[in-house]
Amino acid sequence: LDYNLQRYGLDFKIISKDLNEIDAVVKQLVQHYESLDTRVILISEYGITNVNKPIHLNRILRKEGYIAIREERGLELLDAGQSDAFAVADHQIAHVYCKNDKDIGKVATLIKAVEGVEKVLYGEDLKDYHIDHDRCGDIVVVADKDSWFTYYFWLDDAKAPDYARMVDIHKKPGYDPVEMMTDPKDKLVMAKVVGKLIKKKMGFRTVMDIIPIDATLIKGSHGRITEDVEDYPIFISNHSFGKKNQTISAIQVRDLIEDHLLN
């Protein structure tokens, strides 16, 4: 369900099948645990909404001289340790890390001017949002309702690293939803996949480079607080506590779970 919502957005002609299948699984789980007199919570982290505008923060930082690149075999890799600033993207949120504190304000000002950016948080803002922990970026960026952030840092697709065209979550400096896609323009893509799998079975080294570098293929994302309450994440319990149909903040969830377990 999560993947198809990112592929297709809120297209219920496509995702209704996924919704019904998952609903049936959740029903089985809830009925099973209720038969054991168990208190049940259903909780989701986020609601996915439609997007149509990818934002390449690392490309913007690179053009301003903040990103360091090293080249291997003619392909480019982001050198985070040598970069003065770089972004780690995750859907509609990005953490920007700055080597020098003096650059935080300048980088924040640069990013504020980017079309599709809704919020740029740093300094005291991070405390206000309860995210000022050790691993938080020096700057946290939030997209607007139509936008999301890629990890892309290259300016020429011919120099994109080999992992850009593969499912390789540990090498990419940020989440890449395009990993769920194959190139819709390539009519022979499935034949190529089969061919690569046969080579692998025969013992040949094979690169599964079948992922397109086209962020516009993504139609759904999440991370920001949505415009419509209907798209909010949910917290549902079969145990009566607190007010019904109320809006809660993320930092209340921990206490609600403790109350659910102990009281």
Side-chain angles (χ1 to χ4, degrees):
L1 177 62
D2 199 322
Y3 288 174
N4 271 348
L5 278 164
Q6 290 177 70
R7 289 186 185 106
Y8 307 113
L10 297 176
D11 186 339
F12 289 98
K13 287 180 286 189
I14 295 175
I15 65 170
S16 59
K17 178 175 178 287
D18 302 310
L19 286 165
N20 285 317
E21 287 176 355
I22 289 177
D23 204 42
V25 173
V26 172
K27 180 181 178 181
Q28 290 175 351
L29 285 167
V30 170
Q31 288 180 339
H32 170 73
Y33 284 108
E34 284 189 329
S35 72
L36 302 175
D37 196 27
T38 304
R39 292 181 181 180
V40 177
I41 290 176
L42 300 180
I43 184 168
S44 65
E45 291 179 90
Y46 49 78
I48 292 179
T49 52
N50 294 331
V51 291
N52 55 39
K53 181 179 174 56
I55 300 173
H56 313 294
L57 289 177
N58 281 319
R59 288 177 174 172
I60 293 165
L61 292 171
R62 179 175 178 175
K63 287 174 182 177
E64 294 298 319
Y66 288 103
I67 294 281
I69 297 295
R70 71 176 192 271
E71 195 168 299
E72 293 183 6
R73 296 180 292 111
L75 304 179
E76 294 180 342
L77 298 172
L78 186 149
D79 191 335
Q82 293 300 313
S83 296
D84 289 322
F86 65 94
V88 177
D90 188 16
H91 299 277
Q92 291 180 304
I93 306 290
H95 288 250
V96 179
Y97 298 88
C98 298
K99 183 184 289 187
N100 301 305
D101 289 349
K102 64 180 178 61
D103 288 331
I104 294 174
K106 289 186 289 185
V107 173
T109 300
L110 170 67
I111 294 173
K112 281 178 183 176
V114 175
E115 185 181 353
V117 168
E118 184 173 84
K119 292 177 184 174
V120 178
L121 311 173
Y122 62 103
E124 291 298 311
D125 298 332
L126 303 179
K127 293 181 181 178
D128 294 340
Y129 280 81
H130 306 277
I131 54 175
D132 57 329
H133 52 77
D134 291 341
R135 290 177 293 177
C136 183
D138 299 295
I139 304 165
V140 174
V141 190
V142 183
D144 68 16
K145 66 181 181 65
D146 299 315
S147 306
W148 65 281
F149 301 120
T150 77
Y151 78 95
Y152 296 177
F153 54 85
W154 56 90
L155 303 179
D156 178 357
D157 283 353
K159 291 192 172 185
D162 54 7
Y163 60 68
R165 294 180 172 86
M166 297 188 291
V167 176
D168 203 339
I169 62 173
H170 298 295
K171 288 184 180 178
K172 296 179 181 181
Y175 176 68
D176 182 15
V178 187
E179 283 189 349
M180 300 180 295
M181 317 291 282
T182 54
D183 189 347
K185 297 174 187 173
D186 188 348
K187 304 302 180 186
L188 299 175
V189 67
M190 292 315 296
K192 290 177 182 176
V193 171
V194 171
K196 288 175 180 289
L197 289 173
I198 290 172
K199 284 183 181 179
K200 202 169 183 180
K201 287 275 188 184
M202 294 172 68
F204 293 100
R205 293 184 67 179
T206 306
V207 177
M208 295 294 287
D209 51 350
I210 57 169
I211 306 302
I213 303 177
D214 182 2
T216 63
L217 293 171
I218 296 303
K219 304 303 180 188
S221 191
H222 64 80
R224 65 190 296 281
I225 296 176
T226 58
E227 311 294 299
D228 192 337
V229 174
E230 291 293 315
D231 295 317
Y232 278 13
I234 58 165
F235 185 109
I236 302 173
S237 172
N238 65 346
H239 173 55
S240 180
F241 64 101
K243 296 177 182 176
K244 290 184 178 180
N245 301 321
Q246 64 173 313
T247 300
I248 62 172
S249 71
I251 59 170
Q252 291 177 268
V253 171
R254 180 257 174 216
D255 292 339
L256 285 169
I257 292 173
E258 182 180 67
D259 185 49
H260 179 90
L261 291 168
L262 301 181
N263 296 328

